[in-house]
Amino acid sequence: MSQEELARDAIKHALKALKKRHLLEEGAHAPAYIALSRPIISQGSEWKDKAESLELELQQCYKAQSRLSEQLVVEVAESRALKASLQEKETTIAELEKELTQTRDECSQLKTDLEENIRAMELVTIEHQELKAQLEQVTVRVKDLEAENKMLVDRWMLQKMQDAERLNEANALYEDMIERLKASGLEKLAREQVDGIVRRSEEGAEFFAESTVPSVCKHRINAHEGGCASILFEYNSGKLISGGHDRSVKMWDTSTGSLIQNLSGCLGSVLDLAITHDNRFVIAASSSNNLFVWDVNTGQIRHSLTGHKDKVCAVDVSKVSSRHVVSAAYDRTIKVWDLQKGYCTNTIVFHSNCNALCFSTDGLTICSGHVDGNLRLWDIQTGKLVSEVAAHSLPITSISLSRNGNVVLTSGRDNLHNLFDIRSLEVCGTFKATGNRVASNWSRSCISPDDNYIAAGSADGSVYIWSISKADIVSTLKEHTVPVMSCTWSGLGKPLISADKNGVVCIWT
């Protein structure tokens, strides 16, 4: 055999010996191994049970930890919310403490003010008691003065009734003489003679002269800017008063055409003027809804009469007492004013606006011309309508009373000028002309102081003059280039004045 084979056999033989030895050793050690492995296996099962028990406890611990974590999160959130709420409440408490401090200060101040007010009220109470005592004394004095005034008024009314009776006797004499002298053709002479008797019975008769028909423009005055709506003369004087849209009232010397005085303070356009019988006060009706009263001597405003709700377009003063004023406005009212007290004493309300008005000679009746064309008479004491007549088919623009007070002249937008007997409201005459057109709702016409003529302006700039007895035009005056708004005749008989839409005033002689 070869060496390799021998080596292999040796190796195999050695392996077999080792294997046999190993088996012998394993057999020898088997009882000991079994004896040792028994307690280890027994302990391993116990450890396994313990491990499983511990794992179960660990899972329960994890679950408990999870629940505790969730509770912790919730409690932390609640703690933060409570902390924020606590901070807000602390802030609110601080603000409330601040407000409480302020309220205490205010309460203290109010308490101080209350004490002062109580002292002031006590002082006012004392003054009120003193004023009440003074008022009682003044009331007693007023009652005494009213009784004395009533007695004086009664005596004055009795005197006026006696004067009226004498005037009626003179008028009866006049009418009787006219009737008797008509047959002999001496009517003119009778008029002159008897007219002298009647005129001498009137106040201011020493200044009166018969009116003449004017023909020449003596003076042409640029009186107002924007138009002159109203002109009138002082009683028994040659002084002219004019009012215009420039809110001014001016006084003029008609003999020279020069400005004498300028009355300022009116807040609107002057639409009408009036003057008291003693020439002391001038009253202007204004588009500012007011009436303004000037003292001519001082040139200052004495009263501003308020109460109308629209422009005041007409005003007049009683011919008996300078105390009573009547006005009309486009608020459908006519108001009666006490010039001494400076307030309204009566208001008449009517459905048709009044454009023009005037007092009767006895001061007891108001004559008013309305937009509906009617002439109405009102009782000044009661404010009730006495009578009315359809004077024009279109609005009345002007009312003018004759010197004797028996006849009233009305002008209307129907271009007619009518004379009415104020006692019966019967038409005494109607005057018109082909070219004569009334210019506006406040165009003013007039009667001459001797009751012989009528003068009225026209939209063509002319001034037309009619003779009442002849019922015909006796003169047409042409100087204005724009519509004539107003005409007035001096109580002295001359001159005649006209005013136009541009504020130009013409003095005619």
Side-chain angles (χ1 to χ4, degrees):
M1 296 179 61
S2 63
Q3 290 182 354
E4 288 181 4
E5 290 176 355
L6 290 175
R8 288 187 188 127
D9 291 337
I11 290 170
K12 287 180 182 179
H13 180 70
L15 285 173
K16 287 179 181 180
L18 286 173
K19 186 175 181 182
K20 185 178 180 181
R21 183 180 177 185
H22 175 70
L23 290 173
L24 291 174
E25 288 178 357
E26 189 177 25
H29 293 298
Y33 175 75
I34 293 169
L36 289 173
S37 61
R38 284 177 183 171
I40 293 171
I41 291 171
S42 176
Q43 289 180 358
S45 113
E46 291 176 2
W47 290 345
K48 184 178 181 181
D49 293 338
K50 288 182 180 180
E52 290 177 354
S53 176
L54 289 173
E55 283 181 1
L56 181 61
E57 290 179 3
L58 181 61
Q59 290 177 358
Q60 291 176 354
C61 289
Y62 284 154
K63 290 180 181 178
Q65 183 182 8
S66 174
R67 286 196 299 271
L68 290 174
S69 299
E70 291 176 355
Q71 291 178 0
L72 180 62
V73 170
V74 172
E75 289 177 358
V76 168
E78 290 178 354
S79 175
R80 290 177 179 175
L82 289 173
K83 185 176 181 180
S85 175
L86 179 62
Q87 290 177 351
E88 290 179 358
K89 289 181 180 179
E90 288 177 350
T91 305
T92 304
I93 290 171
E95 292 176 353
L96 289 175
E97 288 178 349
K98 184 178 180 181
E99 290 180 2
L100 179 61
T101 303
Q102 293 177 352
T103 304
R104 285 175 178 170
D105 295 340
E106 291 177 358
C107 182
S108 176
Q109 182 64 38
L110 289 173
K111 188 176 180 181
T112 305
D113 294 343
L114 178 61
E115 292 174 353
E116 293 179 356
N117 289 335
I118 290 173
R119 289 194 294 270
M121 186 177 69
E122 292 174 351
L123 180 61
V124 169
T125 303
I126 296 171
E127 292 179 353
H128 172 70
Q129 293 174 350
E130 294 177 354
L131 290 174
K132 187 176 180 181
Q134 294 178 5
L135 178 61
E136 291 175 354
Q137 295 176 358
V138 171
T139 302
V140 173
R141 186 179 177 186
V142 166
K143 289 181 178 178
D144 295 340
L145 290 174
E146 286 178 349
E148 183 180 355
N149 180 64
K150 186 176 183 302
M151 181 184 67
L152 291 174
V153 168
D154 292 340
R155 290 173 58 188
W156 176 73
M157 290 300 296
L158 179 61
Q159 184 64 39
K160 293 301 291 184
M161 289 175 64
Q162 294 173 353
D163 292 343
E165 289 176 359
R166 288 195 294 269
L167 185 59
N168 289 335
E169 291 174 0
N171 285 334
L173 176 62
Y174 170 78
E175 292 174 358
D176 183 60
M177 291 183 69
I178 288 295
E179 291 295 330
R180 285 189 288 116
L181 292 175
K182 273 183 180 179
S184 63
L186 298 177
E187 181 178 349
K188 183 176 179 180
L189 178 61
R191 182 183 294 275
E192 291 174 356
Q193 292 174 347
V194 181
D195 193 59
I197 296 173
V198 175
R199 297 302 178 192
R200 281 195 297 275
S201 68
E202 296 182 358
E203 183 181 355
E206 65 272 18
F207 302 102
F208 176 76
E210 283 198 12
S211 304
T212 57
V213 178
S215 58
V216 178
C217 179
K218 182 179 179 182
H219 297 290
R220 178 186 172 94
I221 306 169
N222 291 318
H224 297 275
E225 295 180 2
C228 178
S230 182
I231 48 177
L232 82 161
F233 277 94
E234 283 190 343
Y235 285 99
N236 307 318
S237 168
K239 291 182 181 179
L240 175 71
I241 306 168
S242 66
H245 292 294
D246 56 2
R247 304 182 178 184
S248 66
V249 175
K250 299 179 180 181
M251 303 183 70
W252 308 87
D253 184 342
T254 55
S255 61
T256 63
S258 58
L259 179 65
I260 299 174
Q261 191 174 8
N262 189 358
L263 305 176
S264 59
C266 184
L267 300 180
S269 300
V270 178
L271 302 180
D272 199 14
L273 290 170
I275 189 169
T276 56
H277 251 272
D278 55 7
N279 293 331
R280 183 179 177 186
F281 297 107
V282 172
I283 303 101
S286 170
S287 63
S288 65
N289 309 347
N290 297 28
L291 291 106
F292 296 90
V293 182
W294 286 272
D295 187 322
V296 175
N297 295 329
T298 63
Q300 301 297 316
I301 291 181
R302 175 71 177 273
H303 296 295
S304 176
L305 305 179
T306 60
H308 284 295
K309 304 299 182 184
D310 206 333
K311 59 186 175 186
V312 187
C313 55
V315 63
D316 195 24
V317 183
S318 172
K319 298 168 180 59
V320 175
S321 168
S322 295
R323 179 173 182 171
H324 296 113
V325 175
V326 63
S327 64
Y330 260 41
D331 56 5
R332 294 182 174 84
T333 64
I334 297 173
K335 289 184 179 289
V336 181
W337 308 84
D338 188 319
L339 206 57
Q340 286 186 359
K341 297 179 180 179
Y343 61 77
C344 177
T345 59
N346 197 5
T347 298
I348 300 169
V349 181
F350 201 69
H351 65 83
S352 179
N353 281 322
C354 175
N355 283 335
L357 51 73
C358 69
F359 270 105
S360 61
T361 51
D362 60 8
L364 300 178
T365 306
I366 301 169
C367 307
S368 62
H370 295 257
V371 173
D372 61 4
N374 283 16
L375 169 65
R376 295 179 172 88
L377 305 184
W378 308 86
D379 188 309
I380 190 174
Q381 297 294 335
T382 64
K384 293 183 178 179
L385 181 66
V386 177
S387 57
E388 67 177 312
V389 63
H392 296 268
S393 60
L394 292 175
I396 294 176
T397 68
S398 173
I399 288 184
S400 180
L401 194 66
S402 63
R403 190 181 181 98
N404 61 21
N406 293 331
V407 177
V408 62
L409 168 68
T410 65
S411 299
R413 292 306 297 268
D414 55 3
N415 303 321
L416 297 180
H417 309 277
N418 295 328
L419 285 176
F420 290 90
D421 188 319
I422 198 171
R423 294 162 291 190
S424 63
L425 290 185
E426 294 181 355
V427 180
C428 303
T430 297
F431 304 86
K432 60 181 179 179
T434 303
N436 179 242
R437 292 182 293 108
V438 175
S440 77
N441 274 7
W442 304 285
S443 294
R444 311 300 191 191
S445 56
C446 65
I447 305 177
S448 64
D450 62 359
D451 300 338
N452 285 336
Y453 303 101
I454 292 172
S458 174
D460 63 1
S462 302
V463 178
Y464 292 81
I465 301 175
W466 290 267
S467 168
I468 294 177
S469 60
K470 297 178 181 178
D472 197 8
I473 292 177
V474 294
S475 181
T476 303
L477 308 177
K478 296 182 180 293
E479 180 66 27
H480 297 280
T481 58
V482 296
V484 177
M485 305 299 293
S486 181
C487 294
T488 187
W489 225 304
S490 170
L492 304 179
K494 61 179 181 180
L496 171 69
I497 309 296
S498 60
D500 66 25
K501 199 172 183 179
N502 283 347
V504 174
V505 172
C506 290
I507 302 175
W508 304 90
T509 56

